[in-house]
Amino acid sequence: MKIPSKFVCRMFAFVCFVFILCEYLIYYLVIFQCSWPVFDPLKEDSSIHLKSNYEPVKAMFLADTHLLGSRNGHWFDKLRREWQMHRAFQTAISLHKPEIIFFLGDIFDEGLWCGKDEFDYYVARFNSLFRYPESTKVYVIVGNHDIGFHYSISPYLHERFMSAFNAPPIKMASIRGNHFVLLNSMAMEGDGCFLCRQAEIKLMSIAEKLRCIQGIGKSCEAGQLRKQYSRPIILQHFPMYRDSDKNCDEPDEAPEDLKKMKFRERWECLSQDATDMLFDQLNPRAVFTGHTHHGCHTTHGVSGEIHEYTLPSFSWRNKNNPSFMLALISPNNYAVSKCYMPQESTVFFLYSISLALFVFWAARNVYLLSSRRSHSIRLFKSC
């Protein structure tokens, strides 16, 4: 039985449409539903005197990409997850055009184990997957999978990652009166290690600089006094100290059994001492973190004036419903919106339904063709 070319073309067109929908269009359909937040005038910090009419900064935050190395994961697993992150990232850049992007650690899955050649390949893959316009500023924060937990970090691992991504233990980035303090969470141990001591000295320097900008520092340069002060925003990999995720109430929160598990200081979160020190020295207005692979919004301080946003993993390998965050930030106000990406289960469902429809449609058409052929043969014999 010869299958008509018209039928073959329709089947091929159907397969192409399903593939394009599930691997390309769905990212636009889902991420298009997210938008930049709007300032709430009631949340404006009246204590901040604006020295200029600043345009708000448009910032994008994501965490835990965990690019796979040579040890863990099948090649198809690697291909699938990296394509998902690439398409989600490029779609977000195309639709929302952030001017500053923060990667909140665990860029790589096996960074602490890989040799020089594999690390260079890691960096090349990262730059290829997460391409961005030249006008966009990108900051990468180190995570424990990139160089190891505190006890296993060597000067070589630290220097290698720092050189590749310009990620020292702590630094401050300022844009239009907004100050972002980027921290290496594993350097917040307070035990005088080669990394910790360096971070503590730099932290005190940044705290003094912020006080000078505010106009209350002890020995300040004239240029610092002319800058715009705003309460800083802390960016790091580990969450600030909290007992667990039990109070988290987000669509991408941890499963109930994980929410009840107690956090270990210096493993799942910063220590209480390190958290208190950062709050005392910097007096931040917000904190953005990752590490847990699940979303959470919590508050700190006596009156809950410091908001912390823990972002889930950006990869399907760690989360069925990954997300990222958009934030509009000015010196005296900020607003955030969470942007959800396509769920892996939704894509599998679309493929499954499409396959069932394809098989049914193909079987039906083959049956009709066969019936017509049998009918034609019977007519021919009857003649």
Side-chain angles (χ1 to χ4, degrees), residues 243-277:
D243 183 65
S244 67
D245 271 355
K246 64 183 178 182
N247 295 323
C248 301
D249 185 17
E250 300 279 315
D252 53 2
E253 66 186 13
E256 283 301 321
D257 56 333
L258 292 181
K259 286 178 66 175
K260 298 174 183 177
M261 291 182 64
K262 299 290 185 181
F263 278 6
R264 297 169 297 173
E265 295 182 59
R266 302 177 177 88
W267 288 88
E268 282 82 38
C269 63
L270 282 191
S271 67
Q272 180 74 71
D273 290 341
T275 300
D276 292 341
M277 177 189 67

Side-chain angles (χ1 to χ4, degrees), residues 287-355:
V287 182
F288 291 86
T289 60
H291 188 52
T292 67
H293 295 179
H294 305 290
C296 184
H297 173 214
T298 188
T299 58
H300 303 274
V302 178
S303 57
E305 71 277 10
I306 303 173
H307 290 256
E308 179 181 355
Y309 304 91
T310 301
L311 277 71
S313 174
F314 196 70
S315 172
W316 275 346
R317 192 168 190 266
N318 303 314
K319 193 75 175 171
N320 175 53
N321 57 332
S323 64
F324 59 94
M325 188 164 279
L326 299 177
L328 205 61
I329 306 168
S330 71
N332 65 347
N333 206 347
Y334 75 93
V336 299
S337 62
K338 184 171 285 188
C339 299
Y340 293 94
M341 300 187 291
Q343 296 187 20
E344 187 175 33
S345 57
T346 300
V347 174
F348 282 156
F349 175 77
L350 289 174
Y351 271 128
S352 300
I353 291 297
S354 300
L355 178 62

Side-chain angles (χ1 to χ4, degrees), residues 50 70 85 92 102 105 146 195 216 223 230 238 245 253 259 276 278 282 290 307 315 338 364 379 382:
L50 295 179
S70 58
M85 290 190 288
F102 296 99
D146 299 316
L195 206 56
I216 59 175
S230 64
F238 285 6
D245 271 355
E253 66 186 13
K259 286 178 66 175
D276 292 341
L278 289 172
L282 299 176
H307 290 256
S315 172
K338 184 171 285 188
R364 178 178 178 274
L379 285 177
S382 64

Side-chain angles (χ1 to χ4, degrees), residues 67-328:
L67 299 186
L68 289 173
S70 58
R71 297 186 178 206
N72 298 325
H74 189 268
W75 68 266
F76 183 75
D77 181 36
K78 182 186 299 185
L79 175 67
R80 180 75 185 142
R81 270 48 189 229
E82 290 189 2
W83 171 255
Q84 168 257 328
M85 290 190 288
H86 171 72
R87 276 276 29 103
F89 183 82
Q90 297 303 328
T91 302
I93 295 296
S94 174
L95 290 176
H96 302 301
K97 298 177 174 57
E99 54 186 311
I100 186 168
I101 302 171
F102 296 99
F103 287 83
L104 303 178
D106 277 2
I107 308 304
F108 309 137
D109 193 59
E110 304 165 22
L112 68 161
W113 297 304
C114 67
K116 180 183 182 304
D117 291 341
E118 187 172 3
F119 181 80
D120 292 341
Y121 178 53
Y122 253 143
V123 175
R125 280 165 54 207
F126 175 84
N127 292 331
S128 176
L129 291 171
F130 302 105
R131 295 192 304 271
Y132 54 89
E134 290 185 4
S135 59
T136 304
K137 294 179 181 291
V138 171
Y139 292 93
V140 175
I141 296 162
V142 67
N144 57 286
H145 273 264
D146 299 316
I147 62 174
F149 280 103
H150 172 72
Y151 66 89
S152 61
I153 299 174
S154 68
Y156 169 72
L157 292 175
H158 164 64
E159 289 292 335
R160 184 174 69 175
F161 192 91
M162 184 178 70
S163 299
F165 294 103
N166 188 23
I170 178 172
K171 72 176 181 180
M172 185 171 75
S174 299
I175 176 171
R176 296 202 292 275
N178 300 288
H179 309 294
F180 303 92
V181 179
L182 288 63
L183 295 169
N184 178 337
S185 299
M186 292 76 70
M188 296 291 110
E189 295 281 327
D191 62 357
C193 73
F194 79 96
L195 206 56
C196 303
R197 184 58 184 157
Q198 182 182 350
E200 289 171 7
I201 294 172
K202 186 63 176 177
L203 175 63
M204 301 306 171
S205 174
I206 289 175
E208 180 62 25
K209 184 181 295 186
L210 286 169
R211 284 191 286 270
C212 284
I213 296 173
Q214 192 178 6
I216 59 175
K218 295 180 180 178
S219 55
C220 306
E221 300 174 2
Q224 293 175 332
L225 296 173
R226 291 194 295 269
K227 292 181 179 179
Q228 173 66 57
Y229 173 75
S230 64
R231 291 173 63 195
I233 293 173
I234 292 178
L235 307 167
Q236 64 172 358
H237 184 59
F238 285 6
M240 292 295 185
Y241 174 80
R242 61 176 181 253
D243 183 65
S244 67
D245 271 355
K246 64 183 178 182
N247 295 323
C248 301
D249 185 17
E250 300 279 315
D252 53 2
E253 66 186 13
E256 283 301 321
D257 56 333
L258 292 181
K259 286 178 66 175
K260 298 174 183 177
M261 291 182 64
K262 299 290 185 181
F263 278 6
R264 297 169 297 173
E265 295 182 59
R266 302 177 177 88
W267 288 88
E268 282 82 38
C269 63
L270 282 191
S271 67
Q272 180 74 71
D273 290 341
T275 300
D276 292 341
M277 177 189 67
L278 289 172
F279 287 160
D280 291 341
Q281 290 293 328
L282 299 176
N283 185 30
R285 49 176 163 159
V287 182
F288 291 86
T289 60
H291 188 52
T292 67
H293 295 179
H294 305 290
C296 184
H297 173 214
T298 188
T299 58
H300 303 274
V302 178
S303 57
E305 71 277 10
I306 303 173
H307 290 256
E308 179 181 355
Y309 304 91
T310 301
L311 277 71
S313 174
F314 196 70
S315 172
W316 275 346
R317 192 168 190 266
N318 303 314
K319 193 75 175 171
N320 175 53
N321 57 332
S323 64
F324 59 94
M325 188 164 279
L326 299 177
L328 205 61

